[in-house]
Amino acid sequence: MAAIKVGVLGAKGKVGRTICEAVAEAADLELVARVDAGDDPRALVDAGAEVAVDFTQPDAVMGNLEFLISHGISAVVGTTGFTAERLDRVRGWLEEHAAAGANVLIAPNFAISAVLTMRFAEIAAPFFESAEVIEMHHPHKKDAPSGTAVHTAEGIARARREAGLDAQPDATEQALDGARGAAVEGVPVHAVRMTGAVAHETVILGTEGQSLTIKQDSYDRTSFVPGVLTGVRRIAEHPGLTVGLESYLGL
Amino acid sequence: MAAIKVGVLGAKGKVGRTICEAVAEAADLELVARVDAGDDPRALVDAGAEVAVDFTQPDAVMGNLEFLISHGISAVVGTTGFTAERLDRVRGWLEEHAAAGANVLIAPNFAISAVLTMRFAEIAAPFFESAEVIEMHHPHKKDAPSGTAVHTAEGIARARREAGLDAQPDATEQALDGARGAAVEGVPVHAVRMTGAVAHETVILGTEGQSLTIKQDSYDRTSFVPGVLTGVRRIAEHPGLTVGLESYLGL
Amino acid sequence: MAAIKVGVLGAKGKVGRTICEAVAEAADLELVARVDAGDDPRALVDAGAEVAVDFTQPDAVMGNLEFLISHGISAVVGTTGFTAERLDRVRGWLEEHAAAGANVLIAPNFAISAVLTMRFAEIAAPFFESAEVIEMHHPHKKDAPSGTAVHTAEGIARARREAGLDAQPDATEQALDGARGAAVEGVPVHAVRMTGAVAHETVILGTEGQSLTIKQDSYDRTSFVPGVLTGVRRIAEHPGLTVGLESYLGL
Amino acid sequence: MAAIKVGVLGAKGKVGRTICEAVAEAADLELVARVDAGDDPRALVDAGAEVAVDFTQPDAVMGNLEFLISHGISAVVGTTGFTAERLDRVRGWLEEHAAAGANVLIAPNFAISAVLTMRFAEIAAPFFESAEVIEMHHPHKKDAPSGTAVHTAEGIARARREAGLDAQPDATEQALDGARGAAVEGVPVHAVRMTGAVAHETVILGTEGQSLTIKQDSYDRTSFVPGVLTGVRRIAEHPGLTVGLESYLGL
């Protein structure tokens, strides 16, 4: 099987360099173009790139996507800042240039372990009376809880509502302020800040006589790599726009 | 919505009594008959049972099932000892008495957290280079590893094969005997025996920069209850014979 | 070596019965008297009890202790409600009847794993920049966090102060209410309430490149037994009044 | 208080550079000399170093130590290869040059969390019927289990013997080869190899109704830094030769 030809946008950034290395090392992928701010994106076309990876900036990514889609190059995008309106514009370009054959994957989180944790928590939630989320990060983090933890709690809350579950049992009468965490749609979320930690999320679910714990540890900044490569490898099978890595993971 | 009428076979056994209590307490279920060894199973018919729960003995369960199926009473079965031949006989009765409308669920494990752990491990396995299983039980257990842990490892191994993954990376050159666990189709399984423990299983999966841990704790002997009640509640939607709780959990 | 002769006060209560069984089963201990409310405590003297275990009520324990101390019977006490004033009265009796030779151990917590967790957290605290406590209990618990978790956090805070450590690093600028837990003297404490859980406490400590986690699980209501038996076995070596099991554990 | 003047031997190595950075950043320490292979160690004397850190090679460290001790510079040593015979020679130099006032700390492991885990496991071991060790490392590791895990198990075994404990309870009759781990003096040790992992060790101890878990995670190669700095700061209080970081941690 011929290797998939891959170009990288934002190739000189920290994330971009890591992706370039990972693509170069993968036997089934071929790194054909590195493009950075100021470079002409036509280099991707000239090199015959089939898929481009975009970890750039919110002010650059829409221009990149219009170029890629119109030239039939599929895009795996980790750049942030996608609003509903932006997603609609991407869908419009995909329709307009449907004949060119590009697909697009836009995901807020490429850490496979984090995406699976969120999805498993949703699947399991209807079968457990209680569910709480504990996230742990380094102490330089500015927000608490993390966006991923909030998103996880929202998914659990939605799954509980759809299954018709009651509110979580909690007989607490006397509590110190904050002891029971932040309630995100009724799901308690606790944020730990710890020197030495990187990014970690734990979901605990409990019902009679048992509990289920799903835990995700990101040990370093390369944890997005396996998810990006999965995206590159599978984008040909996912027509149009896909938001979130979940469906690429068979979930 | 009318409560589901439930009968319990083996009602005086330890497990049976626990199930009777749980059914009696559930607002959407009605306990209509308790049958034990020596009792006439017609009590189930007379009481209008729609579903019967059977946690009895291998030498009693086939007679029970033939009776239940022929009388149109669905069966949720936790009794052990089902061979392929026995399952075929159950299928035969279901066909023969199809008009009666009974369904059957036979599951080796009703602990929802354990069933989800096994299934999540299989789903996640293709995306991780490494996967190992660690089970922990009280020290009175006679086999090591547990059947559940072996089953979990087999599921992981199957998922890895189907995804075309290579053997797990392991550069070990010098090892004390047993240090790397038991290899179950290439998946290392470690068994811990610990006073105070009940039944616990952990699956760890790792790939670049991250790991995913799925952990199940059974704290006491009632951990099968939520699974049995889920079986009772959903059996009407699962025609014929179902083996394993998985499909009842939407997996 | 002769078995230690043990009497149990509150012998018909749930805890008392469990202690009676455990003493009866221990080869090095002999259960010589069971005394309950309304019984004459002289039965302990008549039976030659060397040590009495008291898990009774706050309104009974002081009378019991005066009797035991004056009759030279050592006491292992798990009854609650000891104020500084009560402890002073016990010390007074011990001095008054010093010739009788009784010793007293009064402990708020006999779960050895919980006592060790608290003490280890204090020992480790000076070497870590960050420390947080997460406790998990069944959802029927009325207070959050648990007294044990608060006590643990206070011990960590004291150890940090004595070592001259700065406040814990935490760059949080935006937080949902409660996300960062309850601050107990600057140590964040998080309380999880989970169906199926019993009593669990985790202390996480972090510094550059590493973390240390100390976790305690109580799986059932017998978790005080090993601590009580340790108290009975070692009380002869601890003259006078001892408060807390710590010093019996060599800590 | 004046900053402690620190020199680093092996200053251009990976570890040495990390130590230089950490010393330079610490407000209470002053980096006064960087010495590498080929450099004249007199630079340490000229710069007025009070303490030198040596993470060099077995063939260099003895020469370094003789020089440092004879010049009254204390040494914090992480270099490997110390035999009983080598330690005796170091003791000899310390006696010979006692007037110069140097102290020496030689430790096989400067990861504070690992040292505390080992020591806490030993302290706790006498109070638990069961104890097992699970270590997890990246899959490039050549030995299984790790030296640290073996050392931990030996410490637990010694503490159990000294407390007169029986063999660990284990009713296993049927086992897959390796399932129960490697027995190190009767303590089972399990080694997990996992892509993405760095270095992690877990000790589980169990007795009636409860368990205690002590877990250590090293997330990156800087995990020795806090231990080295503790060594530098406290060496003046520990006369002569100290082997192992334990006593510096108040254990």
Side-chain angles (χ1 to χ4, degrees):
Chain A
M1 203 170 69
I4 301 169
K5 295 185 178 182
V6 183
V8 174
L9 290 151
K12 291 185 185 162
K14 201 166 181 177
V15 171
R17 282 201 312 267
T18 304
I19 291 168
C20 287
E21 277 174 39
V23 170
E25 280 174 24
D28 59 337
L29 306 178
E30 184 185 351
L31 179 62
V32 297
R34 303 168 194 245
V35 175
D36 214 85
D39 295 342
D40 186 342
R42 295 204 58 87
L44 292 161
V45 180
D46 297 345
E50 298 162 83
V51 184
V53 179
D54 186 308
F55 276 71
T56 60
Q57 299 296 330
D59 61 2
V61 68
M62 293 304 283
N64 291 344
L65 278 173
E66 188 170 15
F67 177 86
L68 293 168
I69 292 167
S70 65
H71 288 82
I73 301 173
S74 289
V76 172
V77 183
T79 308
T80 57
F82 279 88
T83 58
E85 189 269 336
R86 285 193 155 200
L87 293 175
D88 278 345
R89 283 167 61 200
V90 174
R91 279 191 200 94
W93 293 329
L94 284 164
E95 278 177 35
E96 187 183 341
H97 303 283
N103 300 327
V104 175
L105 166 65
I106 297 174
N109 196 335
F110 277 95
I112 279 181
S113 56
V115 175
L116 289 170
T117 294
M118 277 188 269
R119 191 64 189 108
F120 288 166
E122 280 177 23
I123 295 173
F127 306 104
F128 292 85
E129 292 185 12
S130 307
E132 306 205 8
V133 178
I134 304 168
E135 56 94 329
M136 181 166 81
H137 283 83
H138 55 84
H140 309 301
K141 190 166 176 59
K142 299 240 186 303
D143 55 324
S146 69
T148 299
V150 170
H151 195 54
T152 303
E154 289 169 348
I156 292 169
R158 189 172 53 244
R160 291 178 63 94
R161 276 196 307 273
E162 288 171 4
L165 264 64
D166 292 333
Q168 300 201 27
D170 183 354
T172 308
E173 290 176 2
Q174 289 190 307
L176 294 183
D177 248 23
R180 291 287 291 114
V184 174
E185 300 183 19
V187 177
V189 181
H190 311 267
V192 176
R193 295 293 169 262
M194 188 72 33
T195 299
V198 184
H200 314 261
E201 187 186 29
T202 302
V203 179
I204 311 179
L205 302 120
T207 189
E208 191 176 347
Q210 67 202 286
S211 65
L212 176 69
T213 303
I214 307 165
K215 179 167 193 284
Q216 178 272 335
D217 294 277
S218 289
Y219 296 116
D220 68 39
R221 294 174 180 280
T222 66
S223 62
F224 57 84
V225 168
V228 169
L229 299 193
T230 298
V232 169
R233 287 175 178 128
R234 301 190 172 192
I235 196 164
E237 307 153 22
H238 291 81
L241 172 64
T242 303
V243 179
L245 194 62
E246 292 82 347
S247 63
Y248 277 57
L249 302 181
L251 290 170
Chain B
M1 202 172 70
I4 301 169
K5 294 184 177 182
V6 182
V8 175
L9 289 152
K12 291 184 184 161
K14 202 165 180 178
V15 172
R17 282 201 311 267
T18 303
I19 292 168
C20 286
E21 278 174 39
V23 170
E25 280 174 22
D28 59 338
L29 306 178
E30 183 184 351
L31 179 63
V32 297
R34 301 168 194 247
V35 175
D36 214 85
D39 296 341
D40 186 341
R42 296 204 58 88
L44 293 161
V45 180
D46 297 345
E50 299 162 82
V51 184
V53 179
D54 187 308
F55 276 71
T56 60
Q57 299 296 329
D59 60 3
V61 68
M62 293 305 282
N64 291 343
L65 278 174
E66 188 170 16
F67 176 87
L68 294 168
I69 293 168
S70 66
H71 287 83
I73 301 173
S74 289
V76 172
V77 183
T79 308
T80 57
F82 280 88
T83 57
E85 189 269 335
R86 285 194 155 200
L87 294 175
D88 277 345
R89 281 167 62 199
V90 174
R91 281 191 199 93
W93 293 329
L94 284 165
E95 279 177 35
E96 187 184 341
H97 303 282
N103 300 327
V104 175
L105 167 65
I106 298 174
N109 196 335
F110 276 95
I112 278 180
S113 55
V115 174
L116 289 170
T117 295
M118 276 187 271
R119 191 66 190 108
F120 288 165
E122 280 177 22
I123 295 173
F127 305 104
F128 292 86
E129 291 185 12
S130 307
E132 306 205 9
V133 179
I134 304 168
E135 57 94 331
M136 180 166 81
H137 284 83
H138 54 83
H140 310 301
K141 190 165 175 59
K142 299 239 185 306
D143 54 323
S146 69
T148 299
V150 170
H151 195 54
T152 304
E154 289 168 348
I156 292 169
R158 190 173 51 244
R160 290 177 63 93
R161 276 196 307 273
E162 288 172 2
L165 264 64
D166 291 333
Q168 300 201 27
D170 183 353
T172 308
E173 290 176 2
Q174 288 190 307
L176 293 183
D177 248 25
R180 290 288 291 115
V184 174
E185 299 183 19
V187 177
V189 181
H190 311 268
V192 175
R193 294 294 169 262
M194 189 70 33
T195 299
V198 184
H200 313 260
E201 188 186 28
T202 303
V203 179
I204 311 178
L205 303 120
T207 189
E208 191 175 349
Q210 66 201 289
S211 66
L212 175 69
T213 303
I214 307 166
K215 180 167 192 285
Q216 178 272 333
D217 294 277
S218 290
Y219 295 116
D220 67 40
R221 295 175 177 280
T222 66
S223 63
F224 56 86
V225 167
V228 169
L229 299 192
T230 298
V232 168
R233 286 176 178 128
R234 301 190 172 192
I235 196 164
E237 307 153 22
H238 290 81
L241 172 65
T242 304
V243 178
L245 193 62
E246 290 83 349
S247 63
Y248 277 58
L249 302 181
L251 291 169
Chain C
M1 202 171 71
I4 301 170
K5 295 185 178 182
V6 182
V8 174
L9 289 152
K12 291 184 184 162
K14 203 167 181 177
V15 171
R17 282 201 312 267
T18 304
I19 291 167
C20 286
E21 279 174 37
V23 170
E25 281 174 22
D28 60 338
L29 306 178
E30 183 185 351
L31 180 63
V32 297
R34 303 169 194 244
V35 175
D36 214 84
D39 295 342
D40 186 341
R42 295 205 57 89
L44 293 161
V45 180
D46 297 344
E50 297 162 85
V51 184
V53 179
D54 186 307
F55 276 72
T56 60
Q57 299 295 332
D59 60 3
V61 68
M62 293 304 282
N64 291 343
L65 278 173
E66 188 170 14
F67 177 87
L68 293 168
I69 292 167
S70 66
H71 288 82
I73 302 172
S74 289
V76 171
V77 183
T79 308
T80 57
F82 279 88
T83 58
E85 190 269 335
R86 284 192 157 202
L87 294 175
D88 277 344
R89 282 167 61 200
V90 174
R91 279 190 200 94
W93 293 329
L94 284 164
E95 279 176 35
E96 187 183 341
H97 304 282
N103 299 327
V104 174
L105 167 64
I106 298 174
N109 196 334
F110 277 94
I112 278 180
S113 55
V115 175
L116 289 170
T117 295
M118 277 187 270
R119 191 67 189 107
F120 288 166
E122 279 176 23
I123 295 173
F127 305 103
F128 292 86
E129 291 185 12
S130 306
E132 307 205 8
V133 178
I134 304 168
E135 56 93 334
M136 180 167 81
H137 283 84
H138 55 82
H140 310 301
K141 189 165 175 60
K142 299 240 186 305
D143 54 323
S146 69
T148 299
V150 170
H151 195 55
T152 304
E154 289 169 347
I156 292 168
R158 190 173 50 245
R160 291 177 62 96
R161 276 195 308 271
E162 288 171 5
L165 264 65
D166 292 333
Q168 300 200 28
D170 183 354
T172 308
E173 291 176 3
Q174 288 190 309
L176 293 184
D177 248 23
R180 289 289 289 116
V184 174
E185 299 182 20
V187 177
V189 181
H190 311 268
V192 175
R193 295 294 169 260
M194 188 71 33
T195 299
V198 185
H200 313 260
E201 188 187 27
T202 302
V203 179
I204 311 179
L205 303 121
T207 189
E208 191 175 349
Q210 66 202 289
S211 64
L212 176 68
T213 303
I214 308 165
K215 180 168 192 285
Q216 178 273 333
D217 294 277
S218 290
Y219 295 116
D220 67 40
R221 295 175 179 279
T222 66
S223 63
F224 57 84
V225 168
V228 170
L229 299 193
T230 298
V232 169
R233 287 176 178 127
R234 302 191 171 190
I235 195 163
E237 307 153 22
H238 291 82
L241 172 64
T242 303
V243 178
L245 193 61
E246 291 83 349
S247 62
Y248 277 57
L249 302 181
L251 291 169
Chain D
M1 201 171 70
I4 301 170
K5 295 185 179 184
V6 182
V8 175
L9 290 152
K12 291 184 183 162
K14 202 165 182 178
V15 171
R17 283 201 311 268
T18 304
I19 292 169
C20 286
E21 280 174 37
V23 169
E25 282 175 21
D28 60 337
L29 306 179
E30 184 184 352
L31 180 63
V32 297
R34 303 170 194 244
V35 175
D36 215 84
D39 295 342
D40 186 341
R42 295 204 58 87
L44 293 160
V45 180
D46 297 344
E50 298 162 85
V51 184
V53 179
D54 186 308
F55 276 71
T56 59
Q57 298 296 330
D59 60 2
V61 69
M62 292 304 283
N64 291 343
L65 278 173
E66 188 171 13
F67 177 87
L68 293 168
I69 292 167
S70 65
H71 288 82
I73 301 172
S74 290
V76 171
V77 183
T79 308
T80 58
F82 280 89
T83 58
E85 190 267 336
R86 285 193 155 199
L87 294 175
D88 277 344
R89 282 167 62 200
V90 174
R91 281 191 199 94
W93 293 328
L94 283 164
E95 279 176 35
E96 187 183 341
H97 304 282
N103 300 326
V104 175
L105 166 65
I106 298 175
N109 196 335
F110 277 95
I112 279 181
S113 56
V115 175
L116 289 170
T117 295
M118 277 188 271
R119 191 66 190 108
F120 288 166
E122 280 177 22
I123 295 173
F127 306 104
F128 292 85
E129 291 185 13
S130 308
E132 306 204 9
V133 179
I134 304 168
E135 57 94 331
M136 181 166 80
H137 284 83
H138 55 83
H140 310 300
K141 190 167 175 58
K142 299 238 186 306
D143 54 325
S146 68
T148 299
V150 170
H151 195 52
T152 304
E154 289 168 348
I156 292 169
R158 190 173 52 244
R160 290 178 63 94
R161 276 196 308 272
E162 288 171 3
L165 264 64
D166 292 333
Q168 300 201 27
D170 183 354
T172 308
E173 290 175 3
Q174 289 190 307
L176 294 183
D177 249 24
R180 290 287 290 116
V184 173
E185 299 182 21
V187 176
V189 181
H190 311 268
V192 175
R193 294 294 169 262
M194 188 70 34
T195 298
V198 184
H200 314 260
E201 187 186 27
T202 302
V203 179
I204 311 179
L205 302 121
T207 189
E208 190 176 350
Q210 66 202 289
S211 65
L212 176 68
T213 303
I214 307 164
K215 180 168 193 284
Q216 179 272 333
D217 295 277
S218 290
Y219 296 115
D220 67 40
R221 294 173 179 280
T222 66
S223 63
F224 56 85
V225 168
V228 169
L229 298 193
T230 297
V232 169
R233 287 174 179 129
R234 301 191 172 190
I235 196 163
E237 308 154 22
H238 290 81
L241 173 64
T242 303
V243 178
L245 194 61
E246 291 83 348
S247 62
Y248 277 57
L249 303 181
L251 290 169

